[in-house]
Amino acid sequence: MNTRDLQYFVALVKYKNYTQVAKQFNVSQPTITQSIQRLEREFNTQLIRKDRVHRDEMVTRSGMMLFENAQLINKKIDLAHQEINRANQRQIRFGLPPIIGKKYISKIIKQTPDQLLQRLKITSVGSHELLKQLQDGKVDIAVLGSNKLLNQPGIFADLLATSPFKIIVSKKHPLAKRKAVSFKELGDEHFINFDQQYVHNAAFQAYCTYAGIKPQIAAYRVPDISWVKELVRQNLGISLMVKDAIQNEPGIVSIDISDPLPEKFTISLAIREGYVLSPEEANFVKEIKQIK
């Protein structure tokens, strides 16, 4: 089977127009027609109805079944091209979220041999976005944060560490003198919330649900963790933050959460299923797993 035939077919199902598909791939219209005929012979079924007047009904049920599978096949082929191209370049495409990076980056630099560091290309965005990039083949290895043990289809993950969530407040805030607090006590507080790319949102919702509160949000979807800290430092609200991100922060106090929820910031080393590590990448992964 010619994989290009599947690409033509997927485009034809989407656009329902032979001329448009031919123009997109810079081929003749008969080329598209012949491609569809080859697929129909391969699967011994009609994929496209001969009546092209009713465009919305031009794809048969068998055609739609092939369409769903062909999209997955085409995605796998695209990933293979990306991975092989990067293998030739010998780059290590590594994802490291900002919060975890603060804890890990110095140790990575110290423990990783120079010849590996020279090939290291780091992408630093939130764990939610990094997971998507890992699935799409834009990075090949990533350290990801989650509020539970990472369990995603198509991703192999090894647990590296866990860290508790804490409440952070300004030193000027009345709660600054407290060692611990129940989330139920925070119903009247104003929270600084993170952008969706951070896993803190899920933990925040879990604590609110457990406590039965709906606190006011002072700022929505702040895109940078340093901005959250600054807003808290200026006493414009309080926030929920992982312990590792709040070491030695002037003007900010961290408070333990007394609620018995199992919510913890979980740090995992993740690799896409089916991705074959190069010897250099395997050594790099080994170094990451040894970080304490």
Side-chain angles (χ1 to χ4, degrees):
M1 183 191 304
N2 189 335
T3 56
R4 180 52 66 94
D5 289 344
L6 291 177
Q7 294 175 353
Y8 293 159
F9 177 71
V10 167
L12 182 61
V13 173
K14 288 181 178 179
Y15 301 126
K16 296 182 173 60
N17 186 294
Y18 281 80
T19 302
Q20 187 173 351
V21 174
K23 185 176 181 180
Q24 175 181 328
F25 289 96
N26 197 26
V27 297
S28 66
Q29 185 170 324
T31 298
I32 305 300
T33 302
Q34 293 165 12
S35 173
I36 302 304
Q37 291 172 347
R38 281 194 297 271
L39 287 174
E40 289 183 330
R41 288 195 297 271
E42 172 75 22
F43 291 98
N44 192 29
T45 189
Q46 185 180 1
L47 302 173
I48 302 296
R49 293 187 176 89
K50 306 306 178 186
D51 178 12
R52 300 181 191 172
V53 176
H54 302 93
R55 291 176 58 186
D56 292 339
E57 301 175 358
M58 71 179 294
V59 185
T60 66
R61 181 171 179 269
S62 296
M64 289 307 301
M65 293 170 67
L66 178 60
F67 172 71
E68 296 298 331
N69 286 280
Q71 290 184 102
L72 298 176
I73 293 170
N74 288 340
K75 185 176 181 180
K76 286 286 187 181
I77 292 171
D78 288 342
L79 277 175
H81 279 295
Q82 293 178 42
E83 290 172 358
I84 292 170
N85 287 337
R86 287 202 293 272
N88 293 333
Q89 297 170 4
R90 302 185 70 184
Q91 279 189 338
I92 300 175
R93 300 209 173 192
F94 176 56
L96 186 65
I99 291 177
I100 301 174
K102 184 176 181 180
K103 175 181 180 181
Y104 275 75
I105 190 61
S106 62
K107 297 176 182 178
I108 290 173
I109 298 299
K110 289 178 182 178
Q111 292 187 202
T112 306
D114 288 343
Q115 62 268 28
L116 290 184
L117 286 176
Q118 292 172 7
R119 296 174 186 158
L120 193 62
K121 182 178 180 181
I122 299 178
T123 298
S124 184
V125 293
S127 292
H128 180 78
E129 174 61 24
L130 264 186
L131 175 59
K132 185 176 184 302
Q133 291 197 26
L134 184 63
Q135 292 169 327
D136 291 343
K138 295 179 180 178
V139 298
D140 302 313
I141 304 165
V143 174
L144 300 176
S146 57
N147 66 326
K148 294 181 180 178
L149 187 63
L150 191 64
N151 182 19
Q152 285 287 331
I155 299 295
F156 289 124
D158 286 326
L159 179 65
L160 295 179
T162 60
S163 184
F165 288 101
K166 293 202 170 192
I167 295 297
I168 61 170
V169 302
S170 167
K171 281 189 174 181
K172 306 172 186 176
H173 196 283
L175 288 173
K177 298 178 181 179
R178 298 279 297 273
K179 296 295 183 183
V181 65
S182 166
F183 229 79
K184 187 171 289 186
E185 300 177 64
L186 306 177
D188 294 329
E189 296 292 337
H190 289 69
F191 273 82
I192 311 295
N193 244 4
F194 286 79
D195 191 285
Q196 292 295 333
Q197 66 170 316
Y198 291 95
V199 301
H200 291 68
N201 281 324
F204 174 74
Q205 292 301 327
Y207 276 113
C208 287
T209 300
Y210 174 82
I213 63 172
K214 291 184 177 180
Q216 296 185 50
I217 307 301
Y220 286 92
R221 299 186 179 181
V222 178
D224 190 288
I225 190 170
S226 63
W227 296 6
V228 175
K229 293 177 186 177
E230 186 58 30
L231 291 173
V232 170
R233 187 178 287 111
Q234 297 300 325
N235 204 21
L236 297 176
I238 69 174
S239 191
L240 178 77
M241 192 169 289
V242 65
K243 177 182 176 181
D244 291 336
I246 46 177
Q247 304 295 328
N248 303 317
E249 288 289 344
I252 291 178
V253 175
S254 64
I255 306 170
D256 291 339
I257 301 172
S258 61
D259 299 272
L261 281 187
E263 301 297 323
K264 286 189 176 182
F265 187 75
T266 300
I267 302 173
S268 303
L269 178 65
I271 302 170
R272 190 171 51 260
E273 182 179 354
Y275 182 72
V276 180
L277 295 173
S278 69
E280 293 89 353
E281 289 170 324
N283 287 335
F284 179 67
V285 166
K286 182 179 179 181
E287 296 291 343
I288 294 293
K289 289 182 177 180
Q290 291 175 351
I291 292 177
K292 301 298 181 182

